[in-house]
């Protein structure tokens, strides 16, 4: 099987490693010339996460990467997907299968990432998403986990899951692409909230965050036409351990450092996802208090009120306790 992985950052480099080292597929790993992640791999053959197998072809030639494989896996920043697809679709992609191994919602439109691909001219029945828990640092040590493949097309998701499974990753067939995508994206928002709790010494509140967070995301999924229970599957609740508790989680770390008043300099997709989901919720007329608190902490915590100085992000989270008492479900 020929696989091209577009994006050679943290997840992209792991996917290339997994496809070549574990599944023994022919792999092309693409990154833009001059990009830090690509240059590190080109110069050293490794990064802080993986060492690329010698069978992997590393390239900055996008045309070559797209034309050389029947399956294209994309792992880039979610907010750059639409612009990137303009470059990809300049080549013949009619018969290509596209797998999105990235989590987010387009901030400018509120669209799911598979919808961005469809609007870019990709046949919806050729699109799948790869979501669920797992950290590269654990996978490369041989510690297994469970993940999900979902798609608009039943045969496609079964084909991918059956061919990508191994003793390292057990795949499940997803049955709600809306829930899989929204759940996967929203867990990054909850990860930021968890980091704020860690950084502020309120670790015991992560239990309520898990319960209320999943319920909140279920409401959003339902409002968008998906299944409420998808929030309790691997794409969302199942990913909480690797997002709300792991030392490796970028989103949790972002929230923790924000609580300390310092800046996290790596990509935390949950920041722009919080903004996108807040705007979606406003349009849909649903209340998402935890997401709203994360949005306020990320985007409004520098606002001065009555000369008292900037609002502290934990104060924003604690305002949730001022809400009126109601039934849990």
């Amino acid at each position: 099987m020929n696989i091209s992985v577009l994006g050679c950052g943290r997840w992209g480099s792991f996917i290339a490693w997994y496809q070549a080292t574990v599944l023994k597929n022919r792999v092309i790993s693409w990154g833009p010339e001059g990009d830090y992640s690509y240059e590190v791999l080109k110069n050293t053959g490794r990064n802080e996460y993986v060492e690329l197998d010698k069978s992997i072809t590393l390239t900055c030639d996008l045309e070559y990467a797209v034309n050389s494989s029947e399956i294209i896996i994309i792992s880039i920043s979610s907010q750059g997907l639409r612009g990137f697809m303009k470059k990809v679709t300049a080549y013949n992609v009619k018969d290509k299968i596209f797998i999105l191994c990235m989590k987010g919602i387009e901030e400018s439109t509120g669209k799911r990432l598979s919808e961005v691909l469809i609007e870019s001219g990709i046949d919806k029945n050729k699109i799948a998403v790869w979501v669920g828990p797992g950290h590269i640092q654990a996978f490369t040590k041989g510690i297994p986990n469970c993940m999900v493949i979902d798609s608009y097309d039943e045969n496609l998701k079964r084909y991918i899951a059956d061919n990508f499974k191994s003793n390292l990753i057990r795949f499940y067939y997803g049955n709600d692409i809306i829930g899989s995508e929204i759940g996967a994206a929203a867990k990054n928002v909850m990860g930021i909230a968890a980091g704020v709790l860690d950084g502020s010494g309120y670790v015991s509140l992560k239990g309520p965050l898990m319960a209320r967070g999943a319920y909140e995301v279920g409401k959003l999924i339902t409002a968008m036409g998906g299944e409420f229970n998808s929030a309790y599957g691997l794409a969302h609740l199942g990913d909480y351990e690797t997002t709300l508790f792991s030392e490796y989680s970028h989103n949790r770390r972002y929230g923790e450092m924000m609580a300390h008043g310092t800046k996290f300099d790596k990509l935390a997709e949950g920041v722009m996802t919080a903004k996108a989901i807040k705007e979606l919720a406003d349009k849909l007329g649903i209340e998402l208090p935890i997401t709203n608190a994360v949005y306020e902490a990320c985007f409004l915590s520098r606002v001065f009120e009555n000369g008292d100085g900037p609002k502290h992000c934990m104060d924003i989270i604690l305002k949730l306790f001022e809400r009126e008492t109601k039934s849990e479900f």
Side-chain angles (χ1 to χ4, degrees):
M1 186 179 291
N2 296 334
I3 308 286
S4 286
V5 182
L6 307 184
C8 57
R10 182 171 61 151
W11 264 105
S13 61
F14 164 72
I15 296 163
W17 175 89
Y18 176 75
Q19 291 289 338
T21 306
V22 179
L23 299 182
K24 307 302 181 183
N25 287 322
R26 177 180 177 269
V27 177
I28 296 170
S29 175
W30 174 88
E33 187 173 16
D35 176 75
Y36 175 78
S37 297
Y38 171 76
E39 294 297 330
V40 167
L41 289 173
K42 183 178 74 171
N43 294 328
T44 68
R46 60 177 301 118
N47 58 22
E48 60 182 302
Y49 306 106
V50 297
E51 180 173 354
L52 290 187
D53 189 273
K54 289 181 172 55
S55 67
I56 296 173
T57 300
L58 183 66
T59 183
C60 61
D61 186 337
L62 184 59
E63 182 177 10
Y64 170 73
V66 172
N67 290 340
S68 298
S69 301
E70 61 268 23
I71 295 179
I72 310 294
I73 301 176
I74 302 179
S75 181
I76 64 170
S77 169
S78 61
Q79 301 308 318
L81 181 61
R82 189 179 294 273
F84 181 63
M85 288 305 298
K86 291 179 181 179
K87 299 177 182 178
V88 172
T89 54
Y91 311 113
N92 183 9
V93 297
K94 181 181 178 182
D95 296 321
K96 308 290 184 181
I97 293 170
F98 283 84
I99 304 172
L100 293 168
C101 196
M102 43 199 290
K103 301 166 183 176
I105 298 171
E106 189 175 48
E107 183 274 326
S108 60
T109 64
K111 295 294 179 74
R112 292 178 287 113
L113 301 185
S114 69
E115 292 179 304
V116 174
L117 257 63
I118 293 168
E119 292 179 359
S120 300
I122 306 301
D123 181 350
K124 67 185 294 185
N125 293 318
K126 295 283 189 179
I127 299 170
V129 297
W130 175 349
V131 296
H135 275 299
I136 299 163
Q137 295 89 337
F139 280 137
T140 54
K141 292 177 182 177
I143 301 171
N145 217 320
C146 302
M147 303 188 83
V148 173
I149 299 291
D150 214 334
S151 175
Y152 297 93
D153 184 87
E154 183 72 22
N155 291 328
L156 178 61
K157 69 185 171 190
R158 289 180 177 273
Y159 171 76
I160 294 170
D162 291 346
N163 282 281
F164 282 10
K165 68 182 179 180
S166 70
N167 290 333
L168 193 60
I169 301 179
R170 171 179 168 80
F171 282 105
Y172 285 84
Y173 308 127
N175 58 6
D176 175 21
I177 193 166
I178 295 174
S180 292
E181 288 192 89
I182 295 298
K187 66 94 185 177
N188 287 330
V189 178
M190 300 303 159
I192 292 175
V196 172
L197 296 177
D198 285 338
S200 303
Y202 287 78
V203 179
S204 61
L205 282 180
K206 288 205 284 189
L209 173 64
M210 292 173 67
R212 300 308 301 168
Y215 181 76
E216 178 170 307
V217 172
K219 288 200 303 180
L220 174 62
I221 291 171
T222 303
M224 295 183 69
E227 299 291 332
F228 179 85
N229 284 339
S230 292
Y232 294 90
L234 285 169
H236 186 71
L237 184 62
D239 208 353
Y240 268 15
E241 189 280 329
T242 50
T243 305
L244 272 63
F245 294 93
S246 174
E247 62 179 303
Y248 303 127
S249 169
H250 281 190
N251 292 284
R252 191 207 61 79
R253 184 65 174 151
Y254 182 95
E256 183 178 34
M257 292 183 69
M258 184 167 62
H260 292 158
T262 55
K263 186 176 181 179
F264 182 61
D265 60 2
K266 294 184 179 180
L267 177 66
E269 290 277 15
V271 176
M272 295 310 296
T273 301
K275 187 173 187 291
I277 290 180
K278 181 194 181 301
E279 292 172 355
L280 264 178
D282 290 344
K283 290 178 184 177
L284 294 168
I286 57 174
E287 190 177 21
L288 304 178
I290 299 173
T291 299
N292 288 343
V294 172
Y295 166 78
E296 187 176 347
C298 289
F299 290 95
L300 305 179
S301 61
R302 302 298 181 207
V303 176
F304 285 74
E305 292 185 343
N306 303 319
D308 294 331
K311 293 184 287 184
H312 190 276
C313 53
M314 191 60 211
D315 295 335
I316 296 169
I317 301 294
L318 287 176
K319 283 199 304 183
L320 295 172
F321 281 79
E322 299 173 5
R323 290 163 52 80
E324 63 178 282
T325 305
K326 58 180 66 176
S327 297
E328 184 179 11
F329 298 106

